[in-house]
Amino acid sequence: MKTQKILNFDFVNATNQEFQTELIKLIDSKQNTFIVTANPEIVMYARSHPNFAELIRTASFITPDGIGIIYAGKKLNTPLQERITGFDTFLFLLKIAQEKKLKVLFYGAKPEVIAALKEKAAAEYPDIKVAGAFDGYLSDPAPVQQKIKENQPDLVFVALGAPKQEEFIKNNFHLTNAIWMGIGGSFDAFTG
Ligand code: UDP
């Protein structure tokens, strides 16, 4: 996948369609994949937190989620092809999960949002196998880790906000071969 360095991070420099085609290949070959969907806040946070910067550099992909990243690319004369948001990628992956009957684990957001998400997913994507659905306010993530180990999901969506979601992914990445993606407020947007 082509990338472009902006503010010292290698951003995916592709169309949504090219990126999605790549994701299908990775799903089909069961490659363990870590997607960071970066907005300017994440980049700014990383610039003042070297450990977090190092963590996101281990990601398989950093996508330009925020329009601010697109503007920065233009301004710095290192333009990107287009914005690739976590939310659009989330919707695309749900569609693929429905088609391919994948196992999906959802972790994050408030309990009522997770309840609404389960209901909406069952209604709109009935062939998705929900490998687990946990709200993001547990005092201990052990039950989530246990479910990931047991059910070996193909997709793991983590909506805890940055940097918590990326730290969770990094610490648990060895538990299953999946597409892991930190997606901020996407569960809220999906159910809202
Ligand atoms: N969230 C969570 N646990 C936490 C903090 C946040 O599950 O301890 C959820 C929150 O409910 C929301 C999502 O993380 O669904 C994104 O939060 P926020 O809007 O703060 O992050 P951003 O979208 O700006 O990255």
Side-chain angles (χ1 to χ4, degrees):
M1 187 100 287
K2 261 180 34 191
T3 60
Q4 171 67 60
K5 208 177 269 304
I6 296 173
L7 301 169
N8 240 353
F9 294 100
D10 292 318
F11 283 90
V12 172
N13 187 12
T15 63
N16 278 275
Q17 200 168 16
E18 287 165 342
F19 182 58
Q20 291 169 357
T21 302
E22 182 69 19
L23 292 182
I24 292 177
K25 279 192 215 153
L26 294 167
I27 289 169
D28 288 345
S29 57
K30 287 220 141 274
Q31 293 285 316
N32 208 12
T33 301
F34 175 9
I35 304 174
V36 171
T37 59
N39 54 25
E41 292 76 17
I42 291 187
V43 172
M44 285 314 165
Y45 182 83
R47 283 164 76 82
S48 56
H49 295 80
N51 288 343
F52 182 67
E54 207 164 299
L55 189 165
I56 65 174
R57 286 203 175 90
T58 68
S60 319
F61 301 109
I62 303 177
T63 76
D65 176 272
I67 191 70
I69 303 290
I70 301 296
Y71 292 150
K74 275 199 191 127
K75 186 126 193 117
L76 298 167
N77 253 337
T78 51
L80 292 165
Q81 289 203 47
E82 64 186 31
R83 186 174 176 196
I84 299 177
T85 70
F87 189 61
D88 288 343
T89 307
F90 175 59
L91 294 181
F92 169 75
L93 288 171
L94 288 179
K95 187 179 79 156
I96 295 300
Q98 165 71 12
E99 279 171 27
K100 295 182 181 283
K101 301 183 173 28
L102 300 179
K103 289 182 276 183
V104 181
L105 187 130
F106 302 96
Y107 176 35
K110 300 208 175 96
E112 60 271 26
V113 173
I114 273 289
L117 172 75
K118 278 202 282 193
E119 214 169 285
K120 191 165 175 187
E124 293 183 9
Y125 305 95
D127 291 334
I128 286 182
K129 301 189 188 105
V130 178
F134 298 88
D135 72 75
Y137 296 87
L138 307 172
S139 52
D140 176 1
V144 187
Q145 294 162 321
Q146 186 55 35
K147 267 285 183 272
I148 294 174
K149 261 193 253 177
E150 249 170 53
N151 289 344
Q152 298 288 296
D154 306 293
L155 306 177
V156 180
F157 296 115
V158 189
L160 301 173
K164 274 194 207 160
Q165 58 196 19
E166 286 76 22
E167 285 163 358
F168 177 82
I169 292 173
K170 178 70 179 165
N171 293 337
N172 295 287
F173 194 57
H174 58 286
L175 295 178
T176 183
N177 277 345
I179 305 282
W180 302 71
M181 182 165 69
I183 49 171
S186 291
F187 294 172
D188 304 69
F190 181 68
T191 56

